Amino acid sequence: MTPVEITRGAGPIVLGLPHTGTWVPDDVLNRLNDRGRGLDDTDWHIHTLYDDLLPGVTTVRATFHRYVIDANRDPSGQSLYPGQNTTGLVPLTDFDGQSIWHMEPSEADIEARRLAFHAPYHAALQAELDRVRAEHGVAILYDCHSIRSHIPFLFDGILPDFNIGTNSGVTCDPSIEAAVTGICDRAEGYTSVLNGRFKGGWTTRHYGRPADGFHAIQMELAQSTHLTAEAPPWNLDPAKAEKLRVPLSEILTSLADLAPTLGGKR
């Protein structure tokens, strides 16, 4: 199993998919406890949800599970949300704060996983963004995520359906932020928030450099928008998914249409 799958397109949009993978190498699987082996914190079915929504899109997908190492965390281990409950580069707990290991990884284990999984994923993502910018003068990274809508360990109450993150406007041109928030606000039957609990993970913050022609935005979808239930076996609800794909398609199309207007801002 390779750590990253790439589908190369000719357009200006790159989809990042760091959390849809479920591959856990045997040596890591043997160290997870029963709770960890459930892989509950997967971004279930997100790669399926976005499939074929935009012609010419490039996708970069991690095949490994975030319990192996989290491709959307700072490789230094620094927290994205200081003072708030979160999970680290190699999570020691799940999103409910419960242990997932019967043998926790050592610092040497974490460094080995960084080199074997985290680094190849980001090398591939950087290469695709560089290629796209070279072709179009601009590259827009849309980082695809999902999470359960109710997780008291991480946040109070019920999460909105669309959680848009731009690190408070730093990671992309204002027109990108406005286009995405406008579509989400108009989407009938859905709720949305900009830079709420999820302001954009390490990927969005690391690659989003608008002055250099790299724009990044994160979309964290509440799993209630597309799963039958936010619980095992984590089945995709076809009717919910079909409805949700309408605003998601509109978002990606609008970003592709915006890209030529941003090419001169390098």
Side-chain angles (χ1 to χ4, degrees), residues 32-248:
L32 287 166
N33 61 26
D34 287 345
R35 189 178 184 99
R37 292 183 185 190
L39 307 181
D40 286 357
D41 298 330
T42 305
D43 288 13
W44 301 103
H45 305 290
I46 285 296
H47 54 302
T48 301
L49 198 61
Y50 282 96
D51 190 38
D52 291 332
L53 286 184
L54 180 70
V57 73
T58 292
T59 63
V60 180
R61 176 177 180 257
T63 60
F64 54 92
H65 194 264
R66 68 190 303 159
Y67 291 169
V68 178
I69 193 165
D70 194 328
N72 197 36
R73 294 292 184 270
D74 189 328
S76 73
Q78 182 177 351
S79 176
L80 295 171
Y81 299 99
Q84 293 180 286
N85 286 338
T86 187
T87 53
L89 180 61
V90 173
L92 299 182
T93 72
D94 62 14
F95 287 164
D96 294 311
Q98 301 297 310
S99 174
I100 57 174
W101 301 99
H102 68 73
M103 185 184 299
E104 292 185 356
S106 66
E107 289 300 317
D109 293 329
I110 293 171
E111 177 61 9
R113 296 183 200 180
R114 186 188 69 78
L115 293 172
F117 301 101
H118 192 285
Y121 173 77
H122 284 285
L125 185 56
Q126 183 69 72
E128 292 309 310
L129 289 169
D130 288 342
R131 177 186 63 83
V132 167
R133 193 190 67 161
E135 292 179 5
H136 296 276
V138 63
I140 301 176
L141 171 62
Y142 179 96
D143 213 38
C144 309
H145 296 263
S146 73
I147 195 168
R148 285 177 284 140
S149 62
H150 180 63
I151 309 178
F153 181 71
L154 296 183
F155 51 82
D156 295 331
I158 302 298
L159 200 68
D161 299 319
F162 296 108
N163 298 266
I164 307 158
T166 64
N167 198 23
S168 300
V170 170
T171 64
C172 66
D173 188 88
S175 63
I176 292 175
E177 185 182 88
V180 176
T181 55
I183 292 167
C184 293
D185 287 346
R186 293 191 301 273
E188 187 175 353
Y190 296 104
T191 57
S192 64
V193 66
L194 172 64
N195 293 312
R197 173 61 179 86
F198 299 100
K199 301 179 185 296
W202 184 77
T203 303
T204 303
R205 302 182 198 197
H206 178 69
Y207 293 103
R209 305 190 306 277
D212 297 326
F214 295 102
H215 303 263
I217 188 165
Q218 176 176 304
M219 177 63 76
E220 187 92 49
L221 295 170
Q223 291 179 346
S224 57
T225 61
H226 54 281
L227 298 187
T228 301
E230 295 181 323
W234 311 105
N235 288 331
L236 185 69
D237 184 311
K240 286 183 178 180
E242 196 62 28
K243 178 185 176 185
L244 182 59
R245 280 167 58 86
V246 174
L248 294 181

